[in-house]
Amino acid sequence: MSAPTPVLTAAPAAAAPGAADTLAYLAVAQAIAAHLARTALWQGACCTWVGGSTEAVGGAYQVAQRACGPDVYGGTLGVARFLSLLHQQQPDPLWQELLGGAVAHALAGPHLGSRHVGYGYFAGALGRADTLLRLGESHQQPAWTAAGWELLAEVCAEPPQEFELDVISGVAGAVPVLLRQLRRHPEAGWLAEAASRCGEFLLARAQRQPAAWCWAALPGQPALTGYSHGAAGIALALLELHQALGQPAYRTAAYLGFQFERNLFHAQLQNWPDLRELAPAPTPAMPPTYADAWCHGAPGIALSRLRAWQLTGDDSFRQEAEVALNTTHRSIYQAVTNPGAPVNFSLCHGLAGNADIMLEGSRVLGSELYAQVAQAAGNYGLAKYHYPGLAWPSGVNDPSGATPGMAETPGLLLGLAGTGYFYLRLACPGQVATELLP
C-alpha cells in the first residue's frame, strides 16, 4: 500500500472560494487575456498568435516558434474557447473583439475540413466544428453555427482513417460530440450513423487479448494506457456509445478496454504505467515510467472513471476514480511543496490540468477536499507567478532540458489559454465545465 497523501488545504476550508479568492482567480484570467490581446497578430478581421512548439528540426526535436493553426489543442479556436468563457463571466468588448478575430482566423484557413485530421477533437476538424457550433450558439453568431454544421457534415461524410483512434486525434474524441449533438438534434439521423461508424471502427481495430482489449493509437507505439491516446479514453467512448445506442457489443468492448488497464495497475504506486517507447523497451533494469497527467497516468484515468461511474453506476469505477484522484492529489502536493520541482501550468501535462481534474472529482463525487486541493494549486500559482508578475510556465517540453516550460505558447492544452481557463473555473465553481472532456 502507498503512504497516505498529506492533506492540502486552501483558505477558506470549503468547496467554494471566498470573495477575495474569487477576485484573485478572476484577475489571473483577465491578466492572461490582456496579455493575449497585446501579443495578437492582426490581419484585417483575423488574429492569431505565435508561440513555442516542440518540432522535428534537422532530424532532432527542439523548441521552435510557429503560428497557431485553427485547432482546439494549440490553435486559435482553443484560445477562442477561453475568451468566450471569460466574456460570459466578465463581459468586455476587448475579449469579444479577440474572440471574433480568433474565430475569423479559423474560418479563413484553407479548406477548413482538411481530411487528414477529420475526426480529431482536440487536434482535428471535428473539434473545430463543435467549437464553432458552441461559440455560434453562445454568442448569437449564425454564420459560425452554419460553418460548424457544414464542417461537421463534411467530416461525417467520410470514413475514419486508419490512425484516427484516440481522444486527441480520432474517433474516441468524436463520439461524445456526435452523441451530444444527436441529443440536441434527434432529427439529424446522420449523426447516429456517424457515431455508429466510429464504434464499429473501434471494435474492428481492437487488439483482442483473451480477457482484455487494447488499441495501438500512435504510429510506432504499442497499445497504451491513459486517457489521451490509450485504453481509458477509447473504452469510455465505447461506453458512451452503449449508453446512447444500446448495442451490447460496445459495453463489452468498453469493459474489456478498462480491464486492460486494470491488469497493469501498480498497487504500490497507485498508478498505471506509461507504455510509450521513449527509450529502449522496458527491462528489469529499466522498468516502465508512471506519469501523473491528463494525457498519461492517473489524472486522466480518474477523469475516465468518473464519467464511467456516472454512466453506469458501477461502483468499481468510482473506486478506481478515488484511487486515481488520491494519486493526483499526491502529485499536486509534491509539486507545490517542492521548490525545485519542475512545474508547468498547462492542462495537458501540468498542474492546471491535474487541479482541474480534482475540481471534476469534487463536482461528481461531492468532495470538498478535492476542491480544496485544486484551490491550493491555484493559490500556489498566484504566489509564485501572478503576484510577482512572472511568466506562466507552459507545457512545451524542451528536449534538451535547458528551459522547461519557458517557451510561451498561447494555446488551450499547452499554454496561456488553458491556464486562464483553469483560474476562471476556480473563480466560478459550477458555472464553467471542464475542457478536458470532449
Side-chain angles (χ1 to χ4, degrees):
M1 296 293 292
S2 61
T5 304
V7 175
L8 283 172
T9 58
D21 300 291
T22 296
L23 291 175
Y25 300 151
L26 281 173
V28 174
Q30 292 171 319
I32 286 175
H35 181 79
L36 290 170
R38 290 191 297 271
T39 55
L41 303 173
W42 287 87
Q43 183 175 18
C46 303
C47 74
T48 188
W49 290 265
V50 171
S53 177
T54 306
E55 306 283 347
V57 180
Y61 282 98
Q62 58 183 276
V63 175
Q65 295 292 307
R66 59 168 293 184
C68 288
D71 59 278
V72 173
Y73 188 93
T76 51
L77 284 180
V79 177
R81 288 166 77 125
F82 161 60
L83 294 168
S84 172
L85 291 169
L86 178 59
H87 183 65
Q88 289 172 36
Q89 299 298 326
Q90 296 284 304
D92 189 305
L94 180 56
W95 315 148
Q96 190 170 29
E97 180 185 21
L98 276 178
L99 166 64
V103 173
H105 169 268
L107 292 174
H111 194 225
L112 191 61
S114 53
R115 286 268 57 83
H116 67 286
V117 285
Y119 278 85
Y121 178 76
F122 288 102
L126 188 137
R128 303 201 297 269
D130 182 59
T131 299
L132 290 169
L133 290 171
R134 290 190 191 191
L135 298 181
E137 293 169 2
S138 298
H139 298 275
Q140 291 79 53
Q141 292 286 339
W144 298 356
T145 305
W149 279 116
E150 181 180 357
L151 180 53
L152 186 60
E154 182 185 347
V155 171
C156 293
E158 299 289 337
Q161 296 199 34
E162 193 66 28
F163 66 88
E164 292 183 319
L165 283 164
D166 63 18
V167 167
I168 287 184
S169 301
V171 300
V175 162
V177 173
L178 295 171
L179 295 177
R180 182 171 62 247
Q181 292 299 340
L182 180 62
R183 287 191 294 270
R184 299 185 65 186
H185 303 279
E187 74 283 357
W190 56 275
L191 291 169
E193 294 172 7
S196 295
R197 189 184 311 128
C198 290
E200 296 305 313
F201 179 80
L202 291 175
L203 293 181
R205 281 154 184 79
Q207 296 180 4
R208 305 188 180 197
Q209 303 172 2
W213 288 11
C214 55
W215 293 262
L218 292 180
Q221 294 286 345
L224 303 177
T225 66
Y227 184 74
S228 66
H229 302 295
I234 294 172
L236 180 59
L238 287 161
L239 204 57
E240 296 272 11
L241 280 167
H242 173 258
Q243 180 75 10
L245 305 181
Q247 294 292 335
Y250 297 147
R251 183 183 186 277
T252 299
Y255 271 76
L256 288 166
F258 290 126
Q259 187 61 42
F260 170 74
E261 292 185 330
R262 287 172 180 157
N263 292 344
L264 294 167
F265 176 67
H266 194 298
Q268 183 176 4
L269 297 178
Q270 299 284 280
N271 205 344
W272 294 257
D274 180 354
L275 300 175
R276 288 174 296 169
E277 293 180 351
L278 305 180
T283 67
M286 184 189 297
T289 59
Y290 290 80
D292 289 301
W294 168 80
C295 49
H296 299 279
I301 288 175
L303 201 60
S304 76
R305 301 315 196 260
L306 288 168
R307 179 60 181 157
W309 179 66
Q310 287 181 299
L311 290 171
T312 66
D314 185 333
D315 202 54
S316 67
F317 291 129
R318 181 191 59 79
Q319 293 172 13
E320 285 184 305
E322 290 180 337
V323 168
L325 287 165
N326 188 58
T327 300
T328 306
H329 179 179
R330 185 166 60 249
S331 173
I332 292 172
Y333 180 87
Q334 291 169 349
V336 304
T337 58
N338 181 358
V343 172
N344 77 77
F345 259 82
S346 75
L347 293 180
C348 183
H349 47 261
L351 194 56
N354 286 1
D356 183 85
I357 289 166
M358 298 304 290
L359 285 176
E360 191 67 6
S362 174
R363 185 189 71 82
V364 175
L365 299 177
S367 167
E368 292 188 359
L369 170 63
Y370 296 154
Q372 291 167 21
V373 173
Q375 291 164 26
N379 293 343
Y380 168 82
L382 287 174
K384 188 164 185 178
Y385 302 107
H386 178 65
Y387 293 142
L390 299 178
W392 290 94
S394 76
V396 176
N397 291 321
D398 177 2
S400 73
T403 57
M406 291 299 100
E408 181 176 294
T409 196
L412 184 65
L413 267 292
L414 294 181
L416 289 169
T419 305
Y421 145 82
F422 164 64
Y423 276 94
L424 190 60
R425 195 166 188 227
L426 272 182
C428 308
Q431 299 177 49
V432 178
T434 181
E435 289 285 335
L436 294 178
L437 285 170

